[in-house]
Amino acid sequence: MLKEKLLIEDFKNILKEKGLKCTSSREMILEIFSGNKRPIRAEDSYNKLKNKIDEATIYRTISSFKKVGLIRRVNLRRESVYFELNNDHHHHIVCEKCGEIEDFKENSEIEKILGRIVEKSSRFKIINEHSLELFGVCSKCI
Ligand SMILES: [Zn+2]
Ligand SMILES: [Zn+2]
C-alpha cells in the first residue's frame, strides 16, 4: 500500500521494491501519477513531459509500471485507456457529460457484499481484484 503523498525518496524506494531501475524518466512519470488525483491517459503524461521524455519511453514506462502493479488501468468506457496509481482501493463515479470523476472509498458494505457473491458462487472461489465504476451525470451537468 502506498502513501497518499509521495516524496522523491518514496519514488526511489517504490521503484526499487518493484525491481525497476530508478531512472529519471521513471521517477518523473511516477511523480505525474502520484500528483494526479484522477485517472490519466498515457498521452496526458506525455503532454506534461513533452520536452523531457520521448513518447516511446513514456509508453514503455507506463506499460512496465502496469506490469509490476504500480499503476492500474481504470475502465472509464472511453476510447483512451486510463491509468491511476495503484495505492489505495477505491471506486469511481463518472459524469458521462463532462467527464468529471470522483473517487469514493465508503467501501466496507460494498466489499462485504462482493465477498458474499463470491461465497455463493459455485464456479468461482478466488477473486483477485474488482473494479466498480458508476456512470451518471454530475450536479454541474444536470
Ligand atoms: Zn459533469
Ligand atoms: Zn471495492
Side-chain angles (χ1 to χ4, degrees):
M1 202 74 90
L2 302 182
K3 282 188 277 180
E4 285 268 327
K5 183 110 179 71
L6 296 170
L7 308 166
I8 289 298
E9 270 317 298
D10 295 319
F11 293 134
K12 291 190 174 151
N13 289 330
I14 292 161
L15 288 170
K16 220 165 94 186
E17 213 174 88
K18 299 285 184 186
L20 293 174
K21 233 166 68 187
C22 190
T23 62
S24 66
S25 50
R26 281 177 180 163
E27 262 181 55
M28 279 190 272
I29 295 169
L30 191 50
E31 203 175 349
I32 297 244
F33 277 102
S34 119
N36 251 287
K37 288 269 161 251
R38 302 283 164 262
I40 55 169
R41 304 168 305 169
E43 46 263 54
D44 296 327
S45 49
Y46 173 63
N47 286 336
K48 286 188 183 175
L49 297 168
K50 222 174 226 167
N51 307 315
K52 296 173 188 152
I53 309 175
D54 65 278
E55 203 171 359
T57 306
I58 301 246
Y59 283 89
R60 208 179 330 110
T61 305
I62 286 180
S63 144
S64 63
F65 281 1
K66 162 109 187 351
K67 220 164 159 186
V68 298
L70 206 46
I71 57 173
R72 65 178 162 237
R73 206 178 147 161
V74 184
N75 182 4
L76 297 178
R77 296 186 185 168
R78 290 180 195 158
E79 204 77 10
S80 316
V81 178
Y82 283 73
F83 299 95
E84 70 181 358
L85 207 60
N86 196 10
N87 55 351
D88 61 347
H89 183 68
H90 63 264
H91 308 116
H92 302 101
I93 311 179
V94 185
C95 177
E96 288 172 315
K97 289 196 175 166
C98 72
E100 173 69 11
I101 302 166
E102 195 176 284
D103 292 354
F104 67 96
K105 289 184 191 175
E106 280 75 21
N107 292 328
S108 55
E109 286 307 309
I110 294 169
E111 306 300 322
K112 271 186 225 160
I113 292 165
L114 294 176
R116 285 206 296 275
I117 291 170
V118 181
E119 272 169 36
K120 279 186 194 158
S121 166
S122 56
R123 291 191 288 169
F124 287 91
K125 285 283 157 268
I126 299 163
I127 297 299
N128 296 322
E129 58 173 319
H130 68 261
S131 64
L132 179 60
E133 273 76 46
L134 311 182
F135 294 87
V137 183
C138 79
S139 50
K140 275 190 217 148
C141 291
I142 281 176

